[in-house]
Amino acid sequence: PELGGVGLTAVAAGGEHVLAVTEHGTLLAWAASNEEGQAGVGSDFAKAGPVWPKAPLLPLQGLNVPRRVATVACGDAHSMVLTACGQIYSFGSNICGQLGVGANVQQASTPVVVGSRAR
């Protein structure tokens, strides 16, 4: 799919996925495989196949305040998102604790809040 002239402010690539932030703070995700949830698009797309952009991934349902994404980072099979207001989200594999959400979670297929706000 084409982005239709939408400007991107940040792009990050992992092992089999890519995240991008639009100039409006919307998070987009692509993945050759989403088996570990690294694209953050939910368990319906947890498969070894292409995942096309799903927008907006953030703001998340259930949040009362819309959150613009500021930047993103990707590991091999996990992703991190920093919002404009300093909130951190993570998703994907947590096999080594890389999501920052404790050892009881093996993976997150949608973004989960990490600790308190970044400073």
XYZ file of all heavy atoms in Angstrom:
831
model
N 0.816 -1.193 0.000
C 0.000 0.000 0.000
C 0.858 1.255 0.000
O 1.925 1.273 0.602
C -0.810 -0.086 1.282
C -0.395 -1.335 1.970
C 0.635 -2.002 1.176
N 0.349 2.254 -0.639
C 1.052 3.532 -0.693
C 0.652 4.395 0.488
O -0.447 4.282 1.008
C 0.720 4.246 -1.997
C 1.288 3.532 -3.212
C 1.076 4.332 -4.474
O 0.953 5.563 -4.385
O 1.041 3.718 -5.531
N 1.552 5.274 0.879
C 1.263 6.167 1.998
C 0.575 7.448 1.531
O 0.203 8.267 2.356
C 2.553 6.496 2.750
C 3.153 5.318 3.502
C 4.481 5.727 4.132
C 2.204 4.807 4.562
N 0.447 7.636 0.252
C -0.306 8.777 -0.267
C 0.240 10.126 0.136
O -0.521 11.018 0.474
N 1.560 10.276 0.129
C 2.160 11.565 0.441
C 2.236 11.904 1.909
O 2.572 13.026 2.271
N 1.917 10.953 2.785
C 2.014 11.198 4.226
C 3.489 11.234 4.610
O 4.253 10.338 4.269
C 1.286 10.092 5.021
C 1.521 10.245 6.510
C -0.187 10.101 4.705
N 3.896 12.276 5.322
C 5.277 12.388 5.763
C 5.563 11.514 6.968
O 4.703 11.331 7.830
N 6.760 10.954 7.014
C 7.174 10.137 8.150
C 8.229 10.880 8.957
O 9.112 11.514 8.393
C 7.743 8.800 7.661
C 6.804 7.923 6.851
C 7.519 6.660 6.393
C 5.556 7.572 7.641
N 8.128 10.784 10.287
C 9.094 11.457 11.155
C 10.065 10.487 11.814
O 11.103 10.908 12.318
C 8.376 12.261 12.248
O 7.574 11.365 13.027
C 7.499 13.349 11.634
N 9.712 9.195 11.842
C 10.592 8.186 12.433
C 10.298 6.841 11.786
O 9.153 6.532 11.474
C 10.378 8.095 13.940
N 11.360 6.050 11.596
C 11.239 4.696 11.055
C 12.227 3.817 11.802
O 13.353 4.227 12.082
C 11.555 4.662 9.544
C 11.522 3.240 9.014
C 10.590 5.543 8.768
N 11.806 2.596 12.145
C 12.693 1.633 12.804
C 12.414 0.248 12.226
O 11.272 -0.066 11.882
C 12.468 1.632 14.313
N 13.464 -0.563 12.121
C 13.323 -1.906 11.568
C 13.839 -2.949 12.543
O 14.869 -2.755 13.188
C 14.093 -2.014 10.252
N 13.117 -4.049 12.641
C 13.524 -5.187 13.448
C 13.858 -6.355 12.553
O 14.102 -6.181 11.352
N 13.839 -7.559 13.108
C 14.185 -8.747 12.352
C 13.279 -8.980 11.155
O 13.753 -9.264 10.066
N 11.967 -8.872 11.358
C 11.009 -9.086 10.279
C 9.868 -8.087 10.335
O 8.756 -8.377 9.894
C 10.454 -10.509 10.340
C 11.487 -11.580 10.070
C 10.880 -12.962 9.971
O 9.808 -13.212 10.560
O 11.488 -13.796 9.281
N 10.125 -6.911 10.893
C 9.060 -5.913 10.975
C 9.637 -4.506 10.903
O 10.827 -4.294 11.152
C 8.241 -6.090 12.251
C 8.977 -5.789 13.518
N 10.048 -6.549 13.967
C 8.799 -4.822 14.445
C 10.480 -6.063 15.114
N 9.742 -5.000 15.428
N 8.763 -3.574 10.535
C 9.131 -2.163 10.433
C 8.011 -1.340 11.061
O 6.830 -1.624 10.863
C 9.300 -1.735 8.954
C 9.552 -0.238 8.841
C 10.407 -2.528 8.287
N 8.392 -0.330 11.843
C 7.448 0.628 12.389
C 7.772 1.999 11.823
O 8.943 2.313 11.599
C 7.527 0.695 13.910
C 7.222 -0.569 14.696
C 7.332 -0.291 16.191
C 5.848 -1.119 14.363
N 6.757 2.812 11.618
C 6.948 4.179 11.156
C 5.972 5.084 11.880
O 4.874 4.668 12.253
C 6.729 4.267 9.644
N 6.379 6.331 12.080
C 5.536 7.340 12.712
C 5.250 8.413 11.676
O 6.175 8.943 11.050
C 6.233 7.976 13.937
C 5.332 9.015 14.583
C 6.632 6.898 14.933
N 3.971 8.725 11.482
C 3.612 9.760 10.521
C 3.813 11.141 11.145
O 3.951 11.269 12.360
C 2.153 9.647 10.060
O 1.292 10.019 11.153
C 1.822 8.242 9.583
N 3.775 12.150 10.306
C 3.926 13.521 10.782
C 2.806 13.928 11.732
O 2.928 14.906 12.458
C 3.992 14.477 9.591
C 2.755 14.442 8.718
C 2.965 15.100 7.368
O 3.951 15.825 7.199
O 2.129 14.868 6.480
N 1.725 13.148 11.771
C 0.608 13.430 12.675
C 0.676 12.595 13.949
O -0.249 12.617 14.759
C -0.718 13.189 11.963
C -0.869 13.996 10.717
N -0.994 15.372 10.726
C -0.854 13.634 9.419
C -1.084 15.818 9.492
N -0.990 14.778 8.671
N 1.763 11.822 14.123
C 1.931 11.030 15.329
C 1.235 9.690 15.307
O 1.070 9.055 16.349
N 0.839 9.226 14.133
C 0.196 7.926 14.000
C 1.259 6.857 13.788
O 2.204 7.060 13.033
C -0.775 7.936 12.802
O -1.754 8.947 13.014
C -1.469 6.590 12.640
N 1.084 5.724 14.442
C 2.027 4.614 14.319
C 1.547 3.647 13.252
O 0.396 3.215 13.257
C 2.140 3.888 15.659
C 3.068 2.680 15.705
C 4.507 3.075 15.379
C 2.992 2.020 17.061
N 2.445 3.296 12.319
C 2.164 2.308 11.284
C 3.085 1.115 11.487
O 4.207 1.273 11.957
C 2.413 2.896 9.894
C 1.621 4.145 9.528
C 2.067 4.650 8.168
C 0.137 3.866 9.540
N 2.612 -0.084 11.111
C 3.415 -1.296 11.272
C 3.303 -2.166 10.032
O 2.227 -2.302 9.457
C 2.940 -2.078 12.492
N 4.450 -2.737 9.637
C 4.511 -3.735 8.578
C 5.290 -4.916 9.137
O 6.210 -4.729 9.911
C 5.283 -3.240 7.363
C 4.723 -2.090 6.612
C 3.981 -2.157 5.468
C 4.889 -0.701 6.884
N 3.683 -0.895 5.024
C 4.224 0.026 5.885
C 5.534 0.011 7.907
C 4.184 1.412 5.854
C 5.498 1.392 7.889
C 4.828 2.069 6.866
N 4.967 -6.125 8.674
C 5.727 -7.282 9.145
C 5.693 -8.409 8.128
O 4.653 -8.683 7.533
C 5.169 -7.783 10.475
N 6.847 -9.041 7.918
C 6.894 -10.263 7.124
C 6.358 -11.408 7.964
O 5.818 -12.371 7.454
C 8.325 -10.541 6.678
N 6.522 -11.290 9.273
C 6.011 -12.260 10.233
C 5.647 -11.503 11.505
O 6.351 -10.594 11.910
C 7.072 -13.313 10.549
O 6.672 -14.090 11.654
N 4.535 -11.881 12.111
C 4.103 -11.266 13.362
C 3.890 -12.348 14.431
O 3.090 -12.189 15.322
C 2.818 -10.459 13.138
C 2.456 -9.616 14.334
O 3.302 -8.989 14.950
N 1.189 -9.605 14.690
N 4.628 -13.428 14.332
C 4.449 -14.547 15.253
C 4.693 -14.168 16.708
O 4.090 -14.741 17.607
C 5.365 -15.703 14.859
C 4.929 -16.391 13.588
C 5.812 -17.556 13.244
O 6.874 -17.319 12.650
O 5.435 -18.686 13.590
N 5.573 -13.227 16.966
C 5.881 -12.807 18.331
C 5.088 -11.573 18.753
O 5.266 -11.064 19.853
C 7.381 -12.504 18.468
C 8.284 -13.667 18.128
C 8.174 -14.814 19.129
O 7.839 -14.574 20.298
O 8.404 -15.957 18.718
N 4.232 -11.049 17.872
C 3.458 -9.853 18.182
C 4.224 -8.569 17.981
O 3.793 -7.501 18.396
N 5.391 -8.630 17.311
C 6.275 -7.480 17.183
C 5.702 -6.327 16.365
O 6.173 -5.210 16.477
C 7.641 -7.908 16.626
C 7.610 -8.461 15.216
C 7.432 -9.961 15.136
O 6.748 -10.565 15.939
N 8.061 -10.572 14.152
N 4.660 -6.575 15.570
C 4.031 -5.484 14.820
C 2.974 -4.775 15.664
O 2.515 -3.693 15.302
C 3.414 -6.001 13.523
N 2.578 -5.372 16.791
C 1.647 -4.728 17.705
C 0.220 -4.641 17.223
O -0.560 -3.856 17.731
N -0.148 -5.459 16.242
C -1.474 -5.362 15.641
C -2.472 -6.374 16.191
O -3.565 -6.515 15.667
C -1.400 -5.475 14.099
C -0.660 -4.294 13.518
C -0.752 -6.777 13.679
N -2.098 -7.082 17.231
C -3.016 -8.012 17.870
C -2.810 -9.445 17.456
O -2.117 -9.747 16.481
N -3.452 -10.348 18.191
C -3.256 -11.773 17.969
C -3.939 -12.281 16.705
O -3.607 -13.354 16.218
C -3.732 -12.565 19.189
O -5.099 -12.303 19.430
N -4.912 -11.538 16.167
C -5.554 -11.956 14.918
C -4.546 -12.029 13.782
O -4.745 -12.748 12.814
C -6.678 -11.000 14.519
C -7.863 -11.082 15.459
O -7.945 -12.062 16.237
O -8.710 -10.179 15.413
N -3.465 -11.261 13.881
C -2.450 -11.226 12.844
C -1.165 -11.928 13.295
O -0.123 -11.728 12.698
C -2.133 -9.778 12.459
C -3.307 -9.077 11.848
C -4.092 -8.223 12.609
C -3.634 -9.276 10.521
C -5.176 -7.580 12.051
C -4.721 -8.634 9.957
C -5.498 -7.782 10.719
N -1.255 -12.748 14.340
C -0.078 -13.461 14.851
C 0.183 -14.678 13.978
O -0.225 -15.782 14.281
C -0.281 -13.867 16.307
N 0.822 -14.425 12.857
C 1.081 -15.487 11.895
C 2.365 -15.188 11.144
O 2.897 -14.088 11.203
C -0.078 -15.590 10.907
C -0.314 -14.275 10.153
C -1.507 -14.358 9.258
C -1.694 -13.026 8.540
N -2.862 -12.963 7.740
N 2.815 -16.169 10.433
C 4.015 -15.995 9.610
C 3.589 -15.552 8.219
O 3.616 -16.306 7.266
C 4.805 -17.291 9.548
N 3.146 -14.339 8.108
C 2.727 -13.788 6.824
C 2.721 -12.285 6.891
O 2.848 -11.702 7.965
N 2.567 -11.622 5.751
C 2.638 -10.153 5.721
C 1.567 -9.483 6.580
O 0.437 -9.934 6.641
C 2.422 -9.817 4.249
C 2.713 -11.067 3.511
C 2.368 -12.199 4.429
N 1.960 -8.422 7.232
C 1.042 -7.558 7.964
C 1.216 -6.166 7.374
O 2.313 -5.613 7.413
C 1.355 -7.529 9.474
C 0.460 -6.529 10.186
C 1.186 -8.912 10.077
N 0.160 -5.624 6.810
C 0.247 -4.299 6.192
C -0.060 -3.243 7.229
O -0.565 -3.538 8.312
C -0.706 -4.222 5.010
C -0.311 -5.189 3.962
C -0.989 -6.330 3.607
C 0.878 -5.176 3.174
N -0.293 -7.006 2.649
C 0.849 -6.332 2.355
C 1.962 -4.319 3.079
C 1.867 -6.626 1.453
C 2.971 -4.622 2.173
C 2.915 -5.753 1.376
N 0.194 -1.980 6.916
C -0.020 -0.925 7.903
C -1.418 -0.947 8.489
O -2.399 -1.100 7.779
C 0.207 0.353 7.101
C 1.108 -0.044 6.007
C 0.713 -1.457 5.662
N -1.451 -0.818 9.780
C -2.711 -0.694 10.503
C -2.622 0.624 11.245
O -1.752 0.807 12.080
C -2.886 -1.850 11.485
C -4.174 -1.767 12.269
C -4.326 -2.977 13.166
C -5.623 -2.891 13.937
N -5.857 -4.066 14.742
N -3.476 1.530 10.934
C -3.399 2.849 11.544
C -4.780 3.259 12.024
O -5.770 2.974 11.364
C -2.874 3.854 10.540
N -4.908 3.944 13.116
C -3.819 4.195 14.051
C -3.669 3.058 15.044
O -4.656 2.560 15.545
C -4.238 5.473 14.748
C -5.740 5.430 14.722
C -6.119 4.690 13.450
N -2.459 2.648 15.293
C -2.182 1.657 16.331
C -2.292 2.329 17.698
O -2.768 1.746 18.648
C -0.784 1.086 16.128
C -0.356 -0.044 17.047
C -1.330 -1.204 16.937
C 1.026 -0.511 16.673
N -1.825 3.537 17.797
C -2.015 4.366 18.987
C -2.711 5.632 18.515
O -2.402 6.109 17.443
C -0.672 4.739 19.609
C 0.130 3.593 20.212
C 1.494 4.079 20.653
C -0.591 2.977 21.389
N -3.659 6.222 19.160
C -4.036 5.931 20.538
C -4.727 4.579 20.678
O -5.416 4.136 19.786
C -4.980 7.066 20.894
C -5.480 7.592 19.613
C -4.418 7.325 18.598
N -4.514 3.960 21.818
C -5.090 2.656 22.102
C -6.521 2.797 22.576
O -6.888 3.782 23.190
C -4.281 1.962 23.201
C -2.824 1.714 22.889
C -2.105 1.291 24.149
C -2.719 0.651 21.834
N -7.321 1.766 22.320
C -8.665 1.754 22.872
C -8.565 1.720 24.387
O -7.692 1.069 24.945
C -9.414 0.514 22.401
C -10.123 0.708 21.109
C -11.021 -0.479 20.809
O -10.895 -1.534 21.405
N -11.914 -0.300 19.877
N -9.421 2.432 25.055
C -9.431 2.437 26.503
C -8.654 3.590 27.112
O -8.808 3.874 28.274
N -7.815 4.245 26.328
C -7.122 5.426 26.842
C -8.028 6.634 26.675
O -8.626 6.826 25.630
C -5.813 5.669 26.080
C -4.717 4.638 26.318
C -3.502 4.992 25.484
C -4.337 4.584 27.776
N -8.131 7.424 27.709
C -9.008 8.588 27.655
C -8.386 9.750 26.904
O -9.086 10.590 26.382
C -9.372 9.037 29.077
C -10.223 8.010 29.775
O -10.981 7.295 29.132
N -10.089 7.915 31.077
N -7.061 9.808 26.870
C -6.362 10.912 26.227
C -5.636 10.384 24.992
O -4.830 9.468 25.101
C -5.333 11.545 27.196
C -4.588 12.681 26.531
C -6.023 12.016 28.457
N -5.936 10.945 23.809
C -5.210 10.499 22.623
C -3.710 10.763 22.790
O -3.300 11.780 23.325
C -5.775 11.364 21.500
C -7.056 11.891 22.021
C -6.912 11.968 23.515
N -2.897 9.836 22.361
C -1.451 9.956 22.530
C -0.772 9.908 21.171
O -0.866 8.919 20.464
C -0.940 8.839 23.422
C -1.639 8.828 24.771
C -0.898 7.994 25.759
N -1.639 7.813 26.980
C -1.702 8.689 27.976
N -1.070 9.827 27.898
N -2.392 8.425 29.058
N -0.090 10.967 20.856
C 0.686 11.021 19.620
C 2.008 10.297 19.830
O 2.640 10.451 20.863
C 0.962 12.473 19.232
C -0.269 13.238 18.815
C 0.053 14.702 18.602
N 1.231 14.899 17.787
C 1.215 15.221 16.490
N 0.080 15.391 15.885
N 2.341 15.392 15.826
N 2.410 9.540 18.847
C 3.684 8.830 18.927
C 4.801 9.786 18.539
O 4.708 10.508 17.541
C 3.679 7.591 18.007
C 5.036 6.928 17.966
C 2.609 6.615 18.468
N 5.878 9.795 19.330
C 7.031 10.649 19.047
C 8.110 9.888 18.288
O 8.644 10.369 17.297
C 7.609 11.220 20.343
N 8.432 8.670 18.761
C 9.472 7.889 18.101
C 9.294 6.406 18.416
O 8.520 6.035 19.302
C 10.884 8.375 18.496
O 11.849 7.827 17.605
C 11.215 8.038 19.930
N 10.014 5.575 17.675
C 9.911 4.128 17.811
C 11.297 3.493 17.772
O 12.250 4.091 17.259
C 9.049 3.514 16.688
C 7.604 3.907 16.831
C 9.573 3.920 15.321
N 11.389 2.284 18.317
C 12.612 1.492 18.232
C 12.196 0.034 18.085
O 11.166 -0.380 18.616
C 13.470 1.671 19.476
N 13.001 -0.736 17.356
C 12.704 -2.150 17.140
C 13.897 -3.004 17.510
O 15.038 -2.656 17.199
C 12.373 -2.421 15.669
S 10.867 -1.647 15.095
N 13.620 -4.129 18.142
C 14.619 -5.168 18.335
C 14.336 -6.264 17.323
O 13.523 -6.088 16.420
N 14.965 -7.392 17.481
C 14.764 -8.484 16.543
C 13.296 -8.895 16.464
O 12.747 -9.036 15.375
C 15.625 -9.686 16.947
C 15.543 -10.805 15.938
O 15.682 -10.529 14.724
O 15.330 -11.959 16.346
N 12.628 -9.084 17.609
C 11.234 -9.524 17.619
C 10.410 -8.750 18.647
O 9.433 -9.262 19.194
C 11.159 -11.017 17.897
N 10.800 -7.513 18.939
C 10.010 -6.674 19.840
C 10.107 -5.220 19.394
O 10.959 -4.868 18.581
C 10.441 -6.831 21.297
C 11.741 -6.179 21.624
N 12.953 -6.690 21.228
C 12.020 -5.041 22.313
C 13.926 -5.897 21.662
N 13.380 -4.889 22.325
N 9.209 -4.396 19.941
C 9.155 -2.983 19.561
C 8.882 -2.121 20.774
O 8.235 -2.561 21.728
C 8.040 -2.756 18.531
O 8.233 -3.574 17.399
N 9.357 -0.884 20.716
C 9.135 0.103 21.779
C 8.623 1.379 21.131
O 9.084 1.760 20.047
C 10.432 0.403 22.523
C 11.152 -0.815 23.090
S 10.281 -1.621 24.425
C 10.625 -0.529 25.780
N 7.703 2.042 21.819
C 7.105 3.277 21.328
C 7.156 4.313 22.434
O 6.808 4.022 23.578
C 5.633 3.038 20.908
C 4.943 4.341 20.557
C 5.554 2.048 19.761
N 7.589 5.516 22.095
C 7.564 6.640 23.024
C 6.555 7.644 22.502
O 6.642 8.080 21.344
C 8.947 7.303 23.129
C 9.030 8.565 23.988
C 8.728 8.250 25.455
C 10.395 9.215 23.829
N 5.583 8.007 23.344
C 4.579 8.984 22.917
C 5.075 10.397 23.192
O 6.040 10.598 23.939
C 3.243 8.769 23.652
O 3.415 9.063 25.034
C 2.721 7.354 23.463
N 4.409 11.356 22.597
C 4.788 12.761 22.753
C 4.685 13.213 24.207
O 5.389 14.133 24.625
C 3.924 13.638 21.858
N 3.832 12.572 25.009
C 3.687 12.962 26.415
C 4.585 12.128 27.334
O 4.475 12.230 28.550
C 2.230 12.890 26.846
S 1.534 11.254 26.818
N 5.474 11.302 26.753
C 6.450 10.583 27.559
C 6.068 9.188 27.989
O 6.804 8.546 28.731
N 4.924 8.684 27.546
C 4.516 7.327 27.906
C 5.253 6.334 27.011
O 5.420 6.569 25.822
C 3.010 7.162 27.713
C 2.458 5.896 28.315
C 2.452 5.931 29.823
O 1.858 6.800 30.427
N 3.133 4.988 30.439
N 5.690 5.213 27.589
C 6.406 4.188 26.833
C 5.520 2.956 26.708
O 4.922 2.506 27.687
C 7.726 3.808 27.527
C 8.632 5.031 27.649
C 8.429 2.681 26.765
C 9.838 4.811 28.530
N 5.459 2.406 25.496
C 4.730 1.178 25.217
C 5.701 0.168 24.621
O 6.650 0.550 23.938
C 3.598 1.418 24.209
C 2.490 2.283 24.736
C 2.565 3.671 24.661
C 1.351 1.726 25.305
C 1.552 4.469 25.145
C 0.327 2.520 25.783
C 0.429 3.888 25.701
O -0.575 4.673 26.182
N 5.442 -1.122 24.859
C 6.259 -2.166 24.242
C 5.339 -3.280 23.782
O 4.219 -3.440 24.281
C 7.300 -2.688 25.232
O 6.676 -3.291 26.342
N 5.826 -4.064 22.812
C 5.078 -5.213 22.321
C 6.022 -6.143 21.572
O 7.095 -5.746 21.145
C 3.887 -4.803 21.445
C 4.159 -3.693 20.469
C 4.485 -3.975 19.157
C 4.067 -2.368 20.864
C 4.724 -2.954 18.246
C 4.301 -1.342 19.968
C 4.631 -1.633 18.651
N 5.601 -7.408 21.468
C 6.426 -8.424 20.819
C 6.942 -9.431 21.831
O 6.350 -9.652 22.889
N 8.083 -10.037 21.518
C 8.672 -11.065 22.364
C 9.233 -10.479 23.663
O 9.848 -9.422 23.651
C 9.794 -11.777 21.613
O 10.471 -12.673 22.471
N 9.014 -11.197 24.758
C 9.564 -10.802 26.051
C 10.366 -11.947 26.656
O 10.520 -12.058 27.853
C 8.430 -10.384 27.005
C 8.943 -9.699 28.243
O 9.818 -8.851 28.179
N 8.394 -10.065 29.395
N 10.882 -12.813 25.810
C 11.563 -14.023 26.260
C 12.754 -13.723 27.176
O 13.074 -14.496 28.060
C 11.971 -14.918 25.065
C 12.238 -16.348 25.519
C 13.134 -14.357 24.306
C 11.028 -17.142 25.803
N 13.397 -12.585 26.976
C 14.533 -12.179 27.823
C 14.205 -10.956 28.673
O 15.106 -10.301 29.181
C 15.752 -11.892 26.949
S 16.348 -13.315 26.039
N 12.918 -10.618 28.800
C 12.513 -9.467 29.590
C 12.661 -8.132 28.885
O 12.594 -7.076 29.519
N 12.837 -8.143 27.572
C 13.115 -6.909 26.834
C 11.944 -5.940 26.753
O 12.142 -4.769 26.439
C 13.654 -7.218 25.431
C 12.727 -8.010 24.526
C 12.918 -9.503 24.604
O 12.998 -10.077 25.673
N 12.982 -10.157 23.456
N 10.731 -6.366 27.088
C 9.591 -5.446 27.040
C 9.495 -4.564 28.277
O 8.786 -3.564 28.274
C 8.275 -6.214 26.862
C 8.113 -7.011 25.572
C 6.713 -7.615 25.517
C 8.393 -6.160 24.352
N 10.172 -4.952 29.335
C 10.121 -4.152 30.555
C 8.832 -4.294 31.328
O 8.445 -3.396 32.070
N 8.139 -5.416 31.157
C 6.847 -5.621 31.818
C 6.865 -6.788 32.793
O 5.818 -7.254 33.221
C 5.719 -5.813 30.773
C 5.507 -4.550 29.970
C 6.007 -6.994 29.870
N 8.044 -7.265 33.146
C 8.162 -8.373 34.077
C 8.325 -9.697 33.365
O 8.037 -9.829 32.175
N 8.768 -10.685 34.115
C 9.094 -11.993 33.547
C 7.877 -12.885 33.329
O 7.976 -13.905 32.659
C 10.097 -12.703 34.460
N 6.718 -12.524 33.879
C 5.531 -13.367 33.746
C 4.879 -13.272 32.372
O 4.027 -14.083 32.045
C 4.499 -13.019 34.819
C 5.003 -13.350 36.209
O 5.840 -14.235 36.368
N 4.515 -12.641 37.198
N 5.241 -12.307 31.584
C 4.667 -12.103 30.250
C 5.680 -12.590 29.223
O 6.796 -12.084 29.170
C 4.352 -10.603 30.010
C 3.846 -10.378 28.607
C 3.375 -10.092 31.047
N 5.310 -13.596 28.414
C 6.234 -14.102 27.399
C 6.207 -13.287 26.121
O 7.204 -13.186 25.423
C 5.937 -15.559 27.091
C 6.310 -16.458 28.234
C 6.450 -17.898 27.793
O 6.312 -18.221 26.636
N 6.729 -18.754 28.747
N 5.035 -12.713 25.806
C 4.929 -11.833 24.651
C 3.678 -10.985 24.774
O 2.760 -11.327 25.502
C 4.935 -12.606 23.337
C 3.648 -13.320 23.005
C 3.729 -14.034 21.666
O 4.714 -14.686 21.375
N 2.691 -13.921 20.870
N 3.667 -9.868 24.075
C 2.509 -8.982 24.028
C 2.212 -8.702 22.565
O 3.059 -8.204 21.843
C 2.802 -7.682 24.777
N 1.005 -9.036 22.121
C 0.662 -8.842 20.717
C 0.086 -7.464 20.432
O -0.084 -7.084 19.282
C -0.317 -9.923 20.252
O -1.500 -9.869 21.020
N -0.215 -6.717 21.491
C -0.629 -5.321 21.362
C 0.194 -4.502 22.354
O 0.730 -5.048 23.323
C -2.135 -5.133 21.656
O -2.408 -5.632 22.969
C -3.002 -5.858 20.629
N 0.307 -3.202 22.144
C 1.128 -2.371 23.022
C 0.684 -2.410 24.481
O -0.510 -2.353 24.782
C 0.954 -0.966 22.443
C 0.630 -1.206 21.010
C -0.220 -2.442 21.000
N 1.663 -2.541 25.374
C 1.414 -2.487 26.818
C 2.269 -1.354 27.402
O 3.356 -1.066 26.927
C 1.759 -3.819 27.517
C 0.790 -4.907 27.090
C 3.168 -4.250 27.259
N 1.752 -0.715 28.434
C 2.445 0.393 29.077
C 3.641 -0.132 29.861
O 3.536 -1.141 30.561
C 1.501 1.175 30.009
C 2.249 2.258 30.761
C 0.356 1.765 29.225
N 4.764 0.558 29.736
C 5.982 0.202 30.463
C 6.199 1.238 31.557
O 6.446 2.407 31.250
C 7.200 0.175 29.531
C 8.460 -0.130 30.332
C 7.002 -0.825 28.411
N 6.110 0.818 32.822
C 6.440 1.689 33.951
C 5.775 3.049 33.907
O 4.660 3.209 33.446
N 6.518 4.048 34.401
C 6.007 5.406 34.431
C 6.524 6.180 33.225
O 7.239 5.655 32.395
C 6.415 6.092 35.736
O 7.821 6.080 35.849
N 6.210 7.430 33.185
C 6.588 8.269 32.051
C 8.098 8.493 31.968
O 8.774 8.595 32.972
C 5.897 9.624 32.147
C 4.414 9.536 32.028
C 3.791 10.903 32.188
N 2.375 10.753 32.342
C 1.499 10.926 31.355
N 1.917 11.258 30.156
N 0.224 10.780 31.565
N 8.572 8.589 30.741
C 9.982 8.930 30.520
C 10.180 10.396 30.856
O 9.282 11.205 30.736
C 10.362 8.665 29.071
N 11.354 10.728 31.269
C 11.634 12.131 31.613
C 12.500 12.770 30.575
O 13.297 12.248 29.967
C 12.339 12.181 32.953
C 11.448 11.629 34.032
C 12.112 11.819 35.397
N 11.534 10.934 36.362
C 10.453 11.218 37.062
N 9.817 12.327 36.882
N 9.994 10.369 37.937
